[in-house]
Amino acid sequence: MTTPPPIPDRGITNKVTPPHIVTGDNEPVIDDKPQAVVEEVISEAVHTQASEEGAETVIETVVEEVYAETAPDPVSSAIPPLPGTTPSGQPLPDKQMPPTYLVWNLLLCIACVITGVVGLIYASQVRQRWTAGDYDGALAASSNARLMILASCVLGLINIPFMLLYYAFT
Amino acid sequence: MGDTTGLRRYIIIATAIITGIALLMLYAKADPAAGYFPRCVFLQITGLQCPGCGSQRALHALLTGNLAAAWAFNPLVIIGLPAVITLAIASSVKYRHPRFYNAANSRYVILAALIIVVGWWILRNVLNYVKIF
């Protein structure tokens, strides 16, 4: 094949006068030959690189790999599952409704403890949030309802000495 | 393994039931109005009655068979105890009968319990000052 044309060295290109600058003669000197040579070299280099099979296949494989990493799995993306449910719509066993502690809080209400009423409010929150799909919120409300049971136990223990004092002085 | 754990479970349940019956028989003998029994903290502090005030006397009247007296002391006990027992059974068979548990813990049941308790709380304190009936 043809040997690549020699890259014009800096010395020549730097000496090229811009076409708008008029030299001593009235005729402007337009020397665009080195520029044309450079363009030719670049286009040829691009052409040879693009036609190289190795580079093309490498690029293809890289693109495929990146796509496989970012693209979703076709099997799992076929059925978009709702959070906390199986594809058939049933709640997953580990995402069941957190306990409402309704029994204990109702019992506390009957047994003269005020925290039972607060626990009932939290129990209703558990159900509401669970129905709305807010699993974490339902879990938080459930733990609050449990906290109310604990708080009433603590209140009862605190009450014992005061009760004894009450019976001692009356 | 399964048999022993089942046996242990039955023994625990039987012990709890026998202890509960014994305590209830003891409670039927003792009069909460006269003896040393815990009193409502809310009533002592605020002077207002909480929704559960009078439940001990009501339970005592219920154990001695005096339903009218129990209703007069606290109607919430007579309404609430069957509800509590039903809900406790629903919780204990949660995995065998999930639909029963779900119905017992439905939104309407919880809201009804909340409204009844809070409504009774307000009503009884109003009734103490305003004689409607």
Side-chain angles (χ1 to χ4, degrees):
Chain A
M1 293 288 284
T2 55
T3 52
I7 296 161
D9 60 293
R10 290 250 158 159
I12 300 165
T13 50
N14 284 349
K15 273 175 193 167
V16 171
T17 50
H20 63 275
I21 294 171
V22 180
T23 47
D25 302 335
N26 280 338
E27 201 180 305
V29 177
I30 302 165
D31 192 4
D32 54 353
K33 204 205 166 191
Q35 205 112 17
V37 167
V38 169
E39 276 176 11
E40 208 177 85
V41 168
I42 288 168
S43 69
E44 206 172 287
V46 167
H47 206 74
T48 48
Q49 268 200 354
S51 65
E52 267 179 317
E53 284 174 20
E56 243 177 311
T57 49
V58 163
I59 288 165
E60 241 179 341
T61 49
V62 164
V63 165
E64 267 176 14
E65 276 172 16
V66 167
Y67 183 75
E69 273 177 14
T70 54
D73 191 21
V75 175
S76 66
S77 66
I79 306 154
L82 287 167
T85 57
T86 55
S88 57
Q90 296 294 318
L92 290 173
D94 59 333
K95 288 272 185 183
Q96 275 180 342
M97 187 175 76
T100 54
Y101 300 105
L102 182 60
V103 183
W104 293 106
N105 284 311
L106 203 57
L107 207 60
L108 286 176
C109 286
I110 292 171
C112 233
V113 188
I114 297 302
T115 46
V117 180
V118 188
L120 278 183
I121 294 168
Y122 281 127
S124 74
Q125 273 186 358
V126 170
R127 184 71 205 195
Q128 259 178 328
R129 290 175 180 176
W130 169 252
T131 313
D134 181 9
Y135 181 73
D136 294 331
L139 211 62
S142 176
S143 72
N144 277 336
R146 196 176 53 212
L147 189 71
M148 285 302 123
I149 300 170
L150 270 172
S152 51
C153 288
V154 171
L155 278 176
L157 286 176
I158 289 170
N159 189 30
I160 287 174
F162 290 102
M163 213 171 62
L164 290 175
L165 281 174
Y166 176 81
Y167 285 123
F169 287 106
T170 51
Chain B
M1 280 302 281
D3 288 336
T4 49
T5 48
L7 192 67
R8 247 175 86 186
R9 202 175 146 210
Y10 283 126
I11 286 169
I12 288 168
I13 289 170
T15 312
I17 287 171
I18 289 166
T19 314
I21 288 170
L23 283 174
L24 284 177
M25 284 169 73
L26 214 73
Y27 199 74
K29 292 277 178 189
D31 187 13
Y36 293 101
F37 278 91
R39 284 163 196 273
C40 184
V41 190
F42 186 74
L43 179 65
Q44 287 178 7
I45 291 173
T46 62
L48 296 169
Q49 286 182 316
C50 82
C53 280
S55 56
Q56 285 192 76
R57 284 165 286 166
L59 205 62
H60 175 73
L62 212 61
L63 286 171
T64 49
N66 198 343
L67 199 67
W71 181 268
F73 280 130
N74 196 343
L76 192 68
V77 171
I78 296 169
I79 297 169
L81 272 184
V84 165
I85 290 165
T86 312
L87 287 170
I89 290 167
S91 298
S92 63
V93 295
K94 181 178 175 179
Y95 296 106
R96 251 181 295 169
H97 305 283
R99 283 180 63 198
F100 179 39
Y101 175 79
N102 219 22
N105 279 286
S106 78
R107 201 181 149 196
Y108 302 108
V109 171
I110 297 172
L111 280 180
L114 187 62
I115 288 166
I116 286 172
V117 167
V118 175
W120 166 238
W121 190 2
I122 295 166
L123 185 72
R124 78 182 306 181
N125 283 300
V126 170
L127 285 178
N128 278 347
Y129 296 102
V130 186
K131 294 293 174 191
I132 296 170
F133 303 118

Short mmCIF file of all heavy atoms in Angstrom, two decimals, chain B residues 47-99:
data_model
loop_
_atom_site.label_atom_id
_atom_site.label_comp_id
_atom_site.label_asym_id
_atom_site.label_seq_id
_atom_site.Cartn_x
_atom_site.Cartn_y
_atom_site.Cartn_z
N GLY B 47 -59.24 13.02 90.31
CA GLY B 47 -60.62 13.07 90.77
C GLY B 47 -61.61 12.65 89.72
O GLY B 47 -62.81 12.61 89.99
N LEU B 48 -61.11 12.38 88.51
CA LEU B 48 -61.99 11.91 87.43
C LEU B 48 -61.88 10.39 87.34
O LEU B 48 -60.83 9.82 87.66
CB LEU B 48 -61.61 12.54 86.10
CG LEU B 48 -61.77 14.05 85.98
CD1 LEU B 48 -61.10 14.53 84.71
CD2 LEU B 48 -63.23 14.44 85.99
N GLN B 49 -62.96 9.79 86.86
CA GLN B 49 -62.95 8.33 86.74
C GLN B 49 -62.36 7.93 85.39
O GLN B 49 -62.65 8.56 84.38
CB GLN B 49 -64.37 7.79 86.87
CG GLN B 49 -64.87 7.83 88.31
CD GLN B 49 -66.25 7.25 88.42
OE1 GLN B 49 -67.11 7.53 87.61
NE2 GLN B 49 -66.48 6.46 89.45
N CYS B 50 -61.53 6.88 85.40
CA CYS B 50 -61.00 6.35 84.16
C CYS B 50 -61.98 5.31 83.62
O CYS B 50 -62.89 4.89 84.33
CB CYS B 50 -59.61 5.76 84.38
SG CYS B 50 -59.60 4.10 85.04
N PRO B 51 -61.83 4.87 82.38
CA PRO B 51 -62.81 3.90 81.83
C PRO B 51 -62.87 2.59 82.60
O PRO B 51 -63.85 1.88 82.48
CB PRO B 51 -62.35 3.70 80.39
CG PRO B 51 -61.03 4.33 80.28
CD PRO B 51 -60.95 5.36 81.32
N GLY B 52 -61.82 2.27 83.36
CA GLY B 52 -61.82 0.98 84.05
C GLY B 52 -62.19 1.05 85.51
O GLY B 52 -62.17 0.02 86.18
N CYS B 53 -62.49 2.24 86.00
CA CYS B 53 -62.79 2.37 87.43
C CYS B 53 -64.04 1.55 87.77
O CYS B 53 -65.04 1.61 87.07
CB CYS B 53 -63.01 3.83 87.80
SG CYS B 53 -61.47 4.71 88.00
N GLY B 54 -63.95 0.81 88.86
CA GLY B 54 -65.07 -0.01 89.28
C GLY B 54 -65.05 -1.40 88.69
O GLY B 54 -65.97 -2.18 88.92
N SER B 55 -64.00 -1.72 87.91
CA SER B 55 -63.97 -3.03 87.25
C SER B 55 -63.72 -4.15 88.26
O SER B 55 -64.20 -5.27 88.07
CB SER B 55 -62.91 -3.05 86.17
OG SER B 55 -61.66 -2.69 86.69
N GLN B 56 -62.97 -3.84 89.31
CA GLN B 56 -62.72 -4.88 90.31
C GLN B 56 -64.00 -5.25 91.04
O GLN B 56 -64.32 -6.43 91.23
CB GLN B 56 -61.68 -4.37 91.32
CG GLN B 56 -60.29 -4.37 90.77
CD GLN B 56 -59.28 -4.15 91.86
OE1 GLN B 56 -59.01 -5.05 92.63
NE2 GLN B 56 -58.76 -2.94 91.95
N ARG B 57 -64.74 -4.21 91.44
CA ARG B 57 -66.01 -4.48 92.13
C ARG B 57 -66.98 -5.17 91.18
O ARG B 57 -67.73 -6.06 91.58
CB ARG B 57 -66.61 -3.17 92.64
CG ARG B 57 -65.91 -2.65 93.88
CD ARG B 57 -66.27 -1.21 94.14
NE ARG B 57 -65.59 -0.33 93.19
CZ ARG B 57 -65.93 0.94 93.01
NH1 ARG B 57 -66.92 1.48 93.69
NH2 ARG B 57 -65.26 1.70 92.16
N ALA B 58 -66.94 -4.74 89.91
CA ALA B 58 -67.82 -5.36 88.92
C ALA B 58 -67.47 -6.83 88.73
O ALA B 58 -68.36 -7.69 88.63
CB ALA B 58 -67.71 -4.61 87.59
N LEU B 59 -66.16 -7.13 88.69
CA LEU B 59 -65.73 -8.52 88.54
C LEU B 59 -66.15 -9.35 89.75
O LEU B 59 -66.60 -10.50 89.61
CB LEU B 59 -64.20 -8.54 88.37
CG LEU B 59 -63.61 -9.74 87.64
CD1 LEU B 59 -64.12 -9.80 86.21
CD2 LEU B 59 -62.09 -9.64 87.64
N HIS B 60 -66.01 -8.74 90.91
CA HIS B 60 -66.42 -9.43 92.13
C HIS B 60 -67.92 -9.74 92.11
O HIS B 60 -68.35 -10.84 92.44
CB HIS B 60 -66.07 -8.56 93.34
CG HIS B 60 -66.55 -9.13 94.64
ND1 HIS B 60 -65.94 -10.22 95.23
CD2 HIS B 60 -67.57 -8.77 95.46
CE1 HIS B 60 -66.57 -10.52 96.35
NE2 HIS B 60 -67.56 -9.64 96.52
N ALA B 61 -68.70 -8.71 91.67
CA ALA B 61 -70.15 -8.92 91.59
C ALA B 61 -70.48 -9.98 90.55
O ALA B 61 -71.39 -10.78 90.74
CB ALA B 61 -70.83 -7.60 91.25
N LEU B 62 -69.73 -9.99 89.47
CA LEU B 62 -69.95 -10.97 88.41
C LEU B 62 -69.65 -12.38 88.92
O LEU B 62 -70.37 -13.34 88.61
CB LEU B 62 -69.04 -10.64 87.22
CG LEU B 62 -69.54 -10.98 85.83
CD1 LEU B 62 -70.83 -10.24 85.52
CD2 LEU B 62 -68.48 -10.61 84.81
N LEU B 63 -68.59 -12.52 89.74
CA LEU B 63 -68.21 -13.83 90.26
C LEU B 63 -69.21 -14.32 91.29
O LEU B 63 -69.40 -15.53 91.46
CB LEU B 63 -66.81 -13.76 90.87
CG LEU B 63 -65.68 -13.66 89.85
CD1 LEU B 63 -64.37 -13.38 90.54
CD2 LEU B 63 -65.59 -14.94 89.05
N THR B 64 -69.84 -13.39 92.00
CA THR B 64 -70.86 -13.80 92.97
C THR B 64 -72.23 -13.95 92.31
O THR B 64 -73.20 -14.23 92.98
CB THR B 64 -70.93 -12.80 94.13
OG1 THR B 64 -71.03 -11.48 93.57
CG2 THR B 64 -69.71 -12.87 95.00
N GLY B 65 -72.30 -13.66 91.00
CA GLY B 65 -73.53 -13.91 90.27
C GLY B 65 -74.47 -12.73 90.23
O GLY B 65 -75.61 -12.87 89.79
N ASN B 66 -74.00 -11.57 90.62
CA ASN B 66 -74.86 -10.40 90.65
C ASN B 66 -74.59 -9.56 89.40
O ASN B 66 -73.74 -8.67 89.40
CB ASN B 66 -74.60 -9.59 91.93
CG ASN B 66 -75.74 -8.64 92.21
OD1 ASN B 66 -76.55 -8.36 91.33
ND2 ASN B 66 -75.80 -8.15 93.43
N LEU B 67 -75.31 -9.88 88.35
CA LEU B 67 -75.05 -9.23 87.06
C LEU B 67 -75.47 -7.77 87.09
O LEU B 67 -74.77 -6.91 86.53
CB LEU B 67 -75.79 -9.97 85.96
CG LEU B 67 -75.31 -9.73 84.53
CD1 LEU B 67 -73.93 -10.29 84.32
CD2 LEU B 67 -76.28 -10.33 83.53
N ALA B 68 -76.58 -7.47 87.73
CA ALA B 68 -77.08 -6.09 87.77
C ALA B 68 -76.09 -5.19 88.50
O ALA B 68 -75.81 -4.06 88.06
CB ALA B 68 -78.44 -6.06 88.43
N ALA B 69 -75.55 -5.70 89.60
CA ALA B 69 -74.58 -4.92 90.36
C ALA B 69 -73.31 -4.70 89.53
O ALA B 69 -72.72 -3.61 89.55
CB ALA B 69 -74.25 -5.62 91.67
N ALA B 70 -72.92 -5.74 88.80
CA ALA B 70 -71.73 -5.63 87.95
C ALA B 70 -71.95 -4.55 86.88
O ALA B 70 -71.06 -3.72 86.62
CB ALA B 70 -71.43 -6.96 87.29
N TRP B 71 -73.12 -4.53 86.28
CA TRP B 71 -73.44 -3.53 85.27
C TRP B 71 -73.44 -2.14 85.89
O TRP B 71 -73.01 -1.16 85.26
CB TRP B 71 -74.80 -3.84 84.64
CG TRP B 71 -75.20 -2.88 83.58
CD1 TRP B 71 -75.94 -1.75 83.75
CD2 TRP B 71 -74.85 -2.92 82.21
NE1 TRP B 71 -76.09 -1.10 82.57
CE2 TRP B 71 -75.43 -1.79 81.59
CE3 TRP B 71 -74.11 -3.81 81.42
CZ2 TRP B 71 -75.29 -1.53 80.22
CZ3 TRP B 71 -73.98 -3.55 80.07
CH2 TRP B 71 -74.56 -2.42 79.48
N ALA B 72 -73.90 -2.03 87.12
CA ALA B 72 -73.94 -0.72 87.77
C ALA B 72 -72.53 -0.23 88.09
O ALA B 72 -72.25 0.96 87.99
CB ALA B 72 -74.77 -0.82 89.04
N PHE B 73 -71.64 -1.17 88.45
CA PHE B 73 -70.27 -0.75 88.78
C PHE B 73 -69.52 -0.32 87.52
O PHE B 73 -68.88 0.74 87.52
CB PHE B 73 -69.52 -1.88 89.49
CG PHE B 73 -69.84 -1.99 90.94
CD1 PHE B 73 -70.19 -3.21 91.49
CD2 PHE B 73 -69.80 -0.88 91.76
CE1 PHE B 73 -70.48 -3.32 92.84
CE2 PHE B 73 -70.09 -0.98 93.11
CZ PHE B 73 -70.44 -2.20 93.64
N ASN B 74 -69.55 -1.16 86.52
CA ASN B 74 -68.84 -0.82 85.28
C ASN B 74 -69.37 -1.64 84.12
O ASN B 74 -69.05 -2.83 84.02
CB ASN B 74 -67.33 -1.06 85.45
CG ASN B 74 -66.53 -0.36 84.38
OD1 ASN B 74 -67.07 0.03 83.35
ND2 ASN B 74 -65.25 -0.19 84.61
N PRO B 75 -70.15 -1.03 83.24
CA PRO B 75 -70.66 -1.80 82.08
C PRO B 75 -69.56 -2.23 81.13
O PRO B 75 -69.73 -3.19 80.39
CB PRO B 75 -71.61 -0.80 81.40
CG PRO B 75 -71.85 0.27 82.39
CD PRO B 75 -70.66 0.33 83.27
N LEU B 76 -68.42 -1.52 81.14
CA LEU B 76 -67.35 -1.85 80.22
C LEU B 76 -66.80 -3.26 80.45
O LEU B 76 -66.34 -3.91 79.52
CB LEU B 76 -66.23 -0.81 80.34
CG LEU B 76 -65.16 -0.85 79.25
CD1 LEU B 76 -65.76 -0.42 77.92
CD2 LEU B 76 -64.00 0.05 79.58
N VAL B 77 -66.85 -3.72 81.72
CA VAL B 77 -66.37 -5.07 82.02
C VAL B 77 -67.23 -6.10 81.33
O VAL B 77 -66.74 -7.05 80.70
CB VAL B 77 -66.35 -5.29 83.55
CG1 VAL B 77 -66.06 -6.73 83.88
CG2 VAL B 77 -65.32 -4.40 84.19
N ILE B 78 -68.56 -5.88 81.43
CA ILE B 78 -69.47 -6.87 80.84
C ILE B 78 -69.39 -6.85 79.32
O ILE B 78 -69.49 -7.89 78.67
CB ILE B 78 -70.90 -6.60 81.34
CG1 ILE B 78 -70.93 -6.81 82.86
CG2 ILE B 78 -71.90 -7.50 80.66
CD1 ILE B 78 -72.19 -6.32 83.50
N ILE B 79 -69.16 -5.65 78.74
CA ILE B 79 -69.01 -5.59 77.29
C ILE B 79 -67.63 -6.07 76.88
O ILE B 79 -67.47 -6.79 75.88
CB ILE B 79 -69.22 -4.14 76.79
CG1 ILE B 79 -70.65 -3.69 77.10
CG2 ILE B 79 -68.95 -4.02 75.31
CD1 ILE B 79 -70.87 -2.21 76.88
N GLY B 80 -66.61 -5.67 77.65
CA GLY B 80 -65.24 -5.86 77.21
C GLY B 80 -64.66 -7.24 77.45
O GLY B 80 -63.84 -7.70 76.66
N LEU B 81 -65.10 -7.91 78.53
CA LEU B 81 -64.49 -9.21 78.83
C LEU B 81 -64.75 -10.25 77.74
O LEU B 81 -63.80 -10.93 77.33
CB LEU B 81 -64.99 -9.72 80.19
CG LEU B 81 -64.18 -9.27 81.39
CD1 LEU B 81 -64.72 -9.91 82.67
CD2 LEU B 81 -62.71 -9.62 81.24
N PRO B 82 -65.98 -10.38 77.22
CA PRO B 82 -66.15 -11.31 76.09
C PRO B 82 -65.31 -10.92 74.88
O PRO B 82 -64.75 -11.80 74.20
CB PRO B 82 -67.65 -11.21 75.78
CG PRO B 82 -68.27 -10.68 77.00
CD PRO B 82 -67.25 -9.80 77.64
N ALA B 83 -65.20 -9.60 74.64
CA ALA B 83 -64.38 -9.14 73.51
C ALA B 83 -62.92 -9.50 73.72
O ALA B 83 -62.24 -9.98 72.80
CB ALA B 83 -64.52 -7.63 73.36
N VAL B 84 -62.43 -9.31 74.95
CA VAL B 84 -61.03 -9.64 75.23
C VAL B 84 -60.78 -11.13 75.07
O VAL B 84 -59.77 -11.56 74.49
CB VAL B 84 -60.67 -9.16 76.66
CG1 VAL B 84 -59.37 -9.79 77.12
CG2 VAL B 84 -60.56 -7.66 76.70
N ILE B 85 -61.73 -11.94 75.55
CA ILE B 85 -61.56 -13.40 75.45
C ILE B 85 -61.55 -13.83 73.98
O ILE B 85 -60.72 -14.63 73.54
CB ILE B 85 -62.67 -14.11 76.25
CG1 ILE B 85 -62.45 -13.90 77.75
CG2 ILE B 85 -62.70 -15.59 75.94
CD1 ILE B 85 -63.64 -14.23 78.59
N THR B 86 -62.46 -13.24 73.20
CA THR B 86 -62.51 -13.58 71.77
C THR B 86 -61.22 -13.19 71.06
O THR B 86 -60.66 -13.97 70.27
CB THR B 86 -63.69 -12.84 71.10
OG1 THR B 86 -64.85 -13.02 71.91
CG2 THR B 86 -63.94 -13.36 69.72
N LEU B 87 -60.73 -11.98 71.38
CA LEU B 87 -59.50 -11.52 70.74
C LEU B 87 -58.30 -12.36 71.16
O LEU B 87 -57.40 -12.63 70.35
CB LEU B 87 -59.25 -10.04 71.09
CG LEU B 87 -60.19 -9.05 70.41
CD1 LEU B 87 -60.02 -7.67 71.01
CD2 LEU B 87 -59.91 -9.00 68.93
N ALA B 88 -58.30 -12.80 72.44
CA ALA B 88 -57.19 -13.63 72.90
C ALA B 88 -57.19 -14.96 72.18
O ALA B 88 -56.14 -15.48 71.78
CB ALA B 88 -57.31 -13.84 74.42
N ILE B 89 -58.39 -15.53 71.98
CA ILE B 89 -58.48 -16.80 71.24
C ILE B 89 -58.02 -16.59 69.80
O ILE B 89 -57.26 -17.39 69.24
CB ILE B 89 -59.92 -17.34 71.30
CG1 ILE B 89 -60.24 -17.81 72.71
CG2 ILE B 89 -60.11 -18.48 70.32
CD1 ILE B 89 -61.71 -18.07 72.94
N ALA B 90 -58.42 -15.45 69.22
CA ALA B 90 -58.02 -15.16 67.84
C ALA B 90 -56.50 -15.03 67.73
O ALA B 90 -55.89 -15.47 66.74
CB ALA B 90 -58.68 -13.87 67.37
N SER B 91 -55.87 -14.41 68.73
CA SER B 91 -54.42 -14.27 68.70
C SER B 91 -53.72 -15.60 68.89
O SER B 91 -52.67 -15.84 68.30
CB SER B 91 -53.97 -13.30 69.81
OG SER B 91 -54.53 -12.04 69.59
N SER B 92 -54.32 -16.49 69.70
CA SER B 92 -53.65 -17.77 69.96
C SER B 92 -53.75 -18.70 68.75
O SER B 92 -52.89 -19.56 68.57
CB SER B 92 -54.27 -18.43 71.20
OG SER B 92 -55.63 -18.73 70.95
N VAL B 93 -54.77 -18.53 67.91
CA VAL B 93 -54.88 -19.39 66.72
C VAL B 93 -54.54 -18.61 65.46
O VAL B 93 -55.08 -18.85 64.39
CB VAL B 93 -56.29 -20.02 66.61
CG1 VAL B 93 -56.54 -20.96 67.76
CG2 VAL B 93 -57.36 -18.96 66.53
N LYS B 94 -53.60 -17.64 65.63
CA LYS B 94 -53.24 -16.74 64.52
C LYS B 94 -52.78 -17.50 63.28
O LYS B 94 -53.15 -17.15 62.15
CB LYS B 94 -52.13 -15.82 65.03
CG LYS B 94 -51.66 -14.80 64.02
CD LYS B 94 -50.60 -13.94 64.67
CE LYS B 94 -49.99 -12.98 63.68
NZ LYS B 94 -48.98 -12.13 64.31
N TYR B 95 -51.95 -18.53 63.46
CA TYR B 95 -51.37 -19.21 62.30
C TYR B 95 -52.27 -20.31 61.76
O TYR B 95 -52.15 -20.69 60.61
CB TYR B 95 -50.00 -19.78 62.68
CG TYR B 95 -49.03 -18.68 63.02
CD1 TYR B 95 -48.65 -18.44 64.34
CD2 TYR B 95 -48.54 -17.84 62.02
CE1 TYR B 95 -47.80 -17.40 64.64
CE2 TYR B 95 -47.69 -16.82 62.33
CZ TYR B 95 -47.32 -16.60 63.63
OH TYR B 95 -46.48 -15.56 63.93
N ARG B 96 -53.17 -20.85 62.62
CA ARG B 96 -54.07 -21.89 62.13
C ARG B 96 -55.28 -21.27 61.42
O ARG B 96 -55.77 -21.81 60.44
CB ARG B 96 -54.53 -22.77 63.30
CG ARG B 96 -53.92 -24.16 63.24
CD ARG B 96 -54.40 -25.02 64.39
NE ARG B 96 -53.94 -24.48 65.68
CZ ARG B 96 -54.40 -24.92 66.86
NH1 ARG B 96 -55.32 -25.85 66.91
NH2 ARG B 96 -53.93 -24.41 67.97
N HIS B 97 -55.74 -20.13 61.94
CA HIS B 97 -56.90 -19.45 61.33
C HIS B 97 -56.57 -17.99 61.09
O HIS B 97 -56.99 -17.12 61.84
CB HIS B 97 -58.12 -19.58 62.24
CG HIS B 97 -58.46 -20.98 62.60
ND1 HIS B 97 -59.10 -21.84 61.72
CD2 HIS B 97 -58.23 -21.71 63.71
CE1 HIS B 97 -59.25 -23.02 62.30
NE2 HIS B 97 -58.72 -22.97 63.51
N PRO B 98 -55.77 -17.70 60.06
CA PRO B 98 -55.35 -16.31 59.84
C PRO B 98 -56.50 -15.37 59.49
O PRO B 98 -56.45 -14.18 59.81
CB PRO B 98 -54.36 -16.42 58.67
CG PRO B 98 -54.41 -17.80 58.19
CD PRO B 98 -55.23 -18.63 59.09
N ARG B 99 -57.54 -15.93 58.87
CA ARG B 99 -58.66 -15.06 58.50
C ARG B 99 -59.43 -14.61 59.73
O ARG B 99 -59.90 -13.47 59.81
CB ARG B 99 -59.60 -15.80 57.54
CG ARG B 99 -59.04 -15.85 56.13
CD ARG B 99 -59.95 -16.59 55.20
NE ARG B 99 -61.24 -15.94 55.05
CZ ARG B 99 -62.33 -16.52 54.58
NH1 ARG B 99 -62.28 -17.78 54.23
NH2 ARG B 99 -63.45 -15.87 54.46
#
